[in-house]
Amino acid sequence: MSSLLAWLPWLVVYLLCLYLLDLLAHRRRHLPPGPIPLPLIGSVHLIGDQPHRSLARLARTYGPLMSLRLGAVTTVVASSPDAAREILQKHDAVLSARFVGDVVGDHARYSVASLPIGPRWRSLRKIMSTELFAPHRLDALQGLRSDKVRELAAHIARLSRDGTAVDVGRVAFATSLNLLSCTIFSRDLTSLDDHGGSKEFQVLVGEIMDECGACPNVSDFFPVLAWADLQGLRRRLARLLARMHLLFNAEVDRRLRGREAGEPRKEHDDFLDVLLDVAARDGAKADLDRDTLRALFTDLFLAGSDSSSSVVEWAMTELLRNPTSMVKIHEELTQVIGSTRSMKESDIDLLPYLQAVVKETFRLHPPGPLMLPQQAQATVRVAGYIVPQGARVMVNLWAIGRDESIWPEPDKFMPERFLGKTMDFRGADFELVPFGAGRRICPGLPLAIKVVHLVLATLLNEFEWRLPLEVERTGIDMGEKFGVTLTKAVSLCAIATPI
């Protein structure tokens, strides 16, 4: 014990020297401004369990482009449209490499979201843009999506007759999953009803999202420790993904057996048929081996279901908190669609207030408040500062959406701010880029836009909504749960009455 105490002063001196050297290196490298890091942990202690909010507060002190040392890693954060444009457009070629969290493990070797920019990534992105998410392909499958929203309306009508409140997030999540599964496999993989077996896939997706969004992961802050997986996140996610892959393997095997047996094709090919056709046509050039197919389906379900349902739940929450906006959107839906028919995807362009509600929801509650981090492939000068090779780079979409220099009354829900304006979320207007921009923009954006508008309009066109009496007295809990997707900490439950 005495020998250990004798070494303690030297350890303190050693840590102090490291600390001073780190400060000198920070100034010499001319990094963006940021908080003074502590020895070893850097600024990890400043992040907390709501990093989008913590980083927004820090940006008010250190500016729209700031740097932090998080553990052993230099991280650069953009918190304004101009800084985001520098990263996602001007220096996109250098800063578009993806940082892959340790939790993802082997999945990153096959996932389009994680692959480095290169021939394989370009090949898969081309397949997604020209074969999967092309307008003609999505239009051909809109009948399947219409069936799913009709089932959603029927389910809510049953709950209404029983006098049961609707868990808006849960039904939106189940519907989003089935919208995706019908588009990909032409069949449901979950159910709106509370039957144990039918909910297995829905529960599995939720568990995977929880593991992916676990924060903080020590392995990401201290890469030298990643081999140990100290929190067990990588091992747990690998087991969950293995269960999901078994299900996807079964779907692919079933379709291949049907083809070999000469079963007739459906009127419109789903995504699985399209991908199998491309693989058969182009062979190895298509880069569509079984591992890649599984990774692609995994990405589609994880990115598409939770984010779409989260936007729908937040939009319904804001509308219930803002009766004037609820009245306006009901008036528009009544005028354009009426109560005699169901919502169609072709109606979206005729509903400017609905579109404004969705944009305002994306601004206030972006599904991914911090864009998936990217990594500098080389040292580059951004906005006059040096971003060193290997630094992680993030864009704080939540901070941009709450910036009072851009948005008057930024904390207020006002869809009217988008009426009569051309601002959109397809990657050109950096004030609103919930799907990202540049090379790494979300390839599923065309489908996600259809799903969000279709589900939200169906909920609002066919039902009047009110809060349970207890919630009316206490107010809606607006707490957030940070993860891969920014969801409500307490689910929104509301009472629906058919119109």
Side-chain angles (χ1 to χ4, degrees):
M1 182 68 179
S2 59
S3 62
L4 184 62
L5 290 174
W7 278 100
L8 188 57
W10 295 105
L11 178 61
V12 172
V13 171
Y14 173 71
L15 293 176
L16 182 60
C17 289
L18 286 179
Y19 179 55
L20 293 174
L21 287 172
D22 187 71
L23 291 180
L24 291 173
H26 186 282
R27 292 176 180 175
R28 187 168 59 249
R29 289 187 294 172
H30 197 50
L31 294 172
I36 297 174
L38 295 178
L40 295 181
I41 66 170
S43 299
V44 170
H45 63 294
L46 300 176
I47 302 304
D49 61 356
Q50 299 283 312
H52 57 298
R53 291 178 177 269
S54 302
L55 292 172
R57 284 194 295 270
L58 289 170
R60 287 196 285 271
T61 299
Y62 298 104
L65 190 71
M66 65 179 176
S67 65
L68 306 92
R69 185 163 61 75
L70 301 180
V73 178
T74 297
T75 302
V76 175
V77 183
S79 303
S80 74
D82 289 339
R85 184 179 288 106
E86 287 268 327
I87 289 168
L88 301 174
Q89 185 179 80
K90 184 176 180 180
H91 300 288
D92 185 34
V94 179
L95 300 176
S96 59
R98 178 72 76 206
F99 162 73
V100 180
D102 180 70
V103 66
V104 178
D106 286 341
H107 177 72
R109 295 166 54 196
Y110 307 100
S111 166
V112 177
S114 304
L115 285 171
I117 304 295
R120 179 176 173 80
W121 179 84
R122 292 187 185 93
S123 172
L124 293 173
R125 287 283 300 211
K126 182 178 179 181
I127 291 171
M128 297 175 81
S129 62
T130 62
E131 301 285 355
L132 298 186
F133 299 114
H136 73 278
R137 183 69 60 197
L138 295 180
D139 289 346
L141 296 172
Q142 65 178 294
L144 290 174
R145 295 190 291 275
S146 296
D147 291 342
K148 295 302 104 182
V149 293
R150 281 196 292 270
E151 290 175 13
L152 169 64
H155 175 74
I156 294 175
R158 287 195 296 273
L159 294 177
S160 175
R161 288 194 297 271
D162 296 339
T164 304
V166 179
D167 185 332
V168 175
R170 195 194 75 76
V171 298
F173 185 52
T175 300
S176 296
L177 279 177
N178 281 337
L179 282 163
L180 285 166
S181 63
C182 282
T183 300
I184 297 169
F185 299 128
S186 295
R187 78 181 192 92
D188 291 347
L189 291 182
T190 188
S191 171
L192 285 162
D193 297 315
D194 290 320
H195 302 313
S198 65
K199 288 183 63 180
E200 182 179 353
F201 182 70
Q202 184 177 344
V203 171
L204 178 59
V205 172
E207 290 176 348
I208 291 174
M209 294 298 289
D210 287 343
E211 292 297 332
C212 289
C215 182
N217 186 352
V218 172
S219 296
D220 292 338
F221 295 146
F222 301 95
V224 70
L225 302 176
W227 64 273
D229 189 21
L230 295 175
Q231 295 157 271
L233 296 175
R234 187 172 65 239
R235 293 189 294 274
R236 290 199 296 273
L237 182 62
R239 288 194 291 269
L240 292 171
L241 289 177
R243 288 169 52 194
M244 179 172 276
H245 291 169
L246 286 175
L247 187 150
F248 292 157
N249 279 337
E251 293 293 329
V252 175
D253 290 340
R254 185 183 297 114
R255 189 66 55 86
L256 290 173
R257 287 195 299 270
R259 289 184 169 208
E260 291 173 359
E263 292 180 2
R265 298 276 285 263
K266 297 174 291 299
E267 180 182 357
H268 298 294
D269 289 342
D270 56 26
F271 280 11
L272 178 54
D273 271 328
V274 171
L275 292 169
L276 292 176
D277 286 346
V278 172
R281 183 186 70 217
D282 297 342
K285 291 191 301 180
D287 289 318
L288 288 174
D289 53 47
R290 184 64 69 95
D291 288 325
T292 302
L293 285 177
R294 286 195 300 253
L296 179 57
F297 297 149
T298 300
D299 288 346
L300 289 174
F301 277 107
L302 297 185
S305 57
D306 204 40
S307 57
S308 296
S309 60
S310 173
V311 173
V312 170
E313 185 176 20
W314 281 116
M316 289 293 294
T317 300
E318 292 289 3
L319 288 168
L320 283 165
R321 294 176 73 226
N322 295 273
T324 302
S325 296
M326 181 71 88
V327 169
K328 289 181 179 180
I329 197 167
H330 271 303
E331 289 176 348
E332 180 179 77
L333 289 166
T334 300
Q335 181 178 351
V336 175
I337 302 173
S339 58
T340 58
R341 69 175 178 87
S342 299
M343 169 76 180
K344 299 178 182 177
E345 291 177 8
S346 58
D347 294 322
I348 295 173
D349 290 338
L350 306 176
L351 298 165
Y353 198 78
L354 172 68
Q355 295 177 51
V357 165
V358 171
K359 290 177 183 178
E360 181 71 340
T361 305
F362 275 130
R363 180 188 72 82
L364 279 172
H365 310 286
L370 300 175
M371 279 180 53
L372 291 176
Q374 300 181 177
Q375 199 158 22
Q377 300 176 78
T379 298
V380 61
R381 186 174 291 273
V382 177
Y385 296 104
I386 294 297
V387 176
Q389 182 177 6
R392 292 174 197 167
V393 182
M394 293 189 296
V395 177
N396 191 343
L397 300 180
W398 189 91
I400 293 174
R402 306 281 179 141
D403 188 338
E404 61 185 12
S405 69
I406 307 168
W407 311 101
E409 299 182 82
D411 294 327
K412 188 175 180 181
F413 182 77
M414 293 192 301
E416 292 77 10
R417 72 175 83 237
F418 289 102
L419 294 178
K421 296 184 179 180
T422 58
M423 184 183 293
D424 205 356
F425 41 62
R426 289 174 170 81
D429 300 300
F430 288 87
E431 295 83 358
L432 191 70
V433 284
F435 295 94
R439 303 173 193 219
R440 290 289 185 177
I441 192 171
C442 175
L445 184 154
L447 178 60
I449 291 173
K450 292 179 182 294
V451 168
V452 168
H453 287 88
L454 185 62
V455 173
L456 181 60
T458 298
L459 294 176
L460 294 167
N461 186 53
E462 305 202 16
F463 302 95
E464 295 277 359
W465 295 85
R466 63 180 175 85
L467 295 170
L469 291 178
E470 182 180 351
V471 179
E472 280 190 351
R473 287 196 299 268
T474 60
I476 299 176
D477 189 324
M478 296 297 287
E480 302 164 334
K481 179 183 176 183
F482 180 87
V484 176
T485 301
L486 190 67
T487 57
K488 287 188 90 278
V490 177
S491 296
L492 172 68
C493 290
I495 298 169
T497 303
I499 295 177

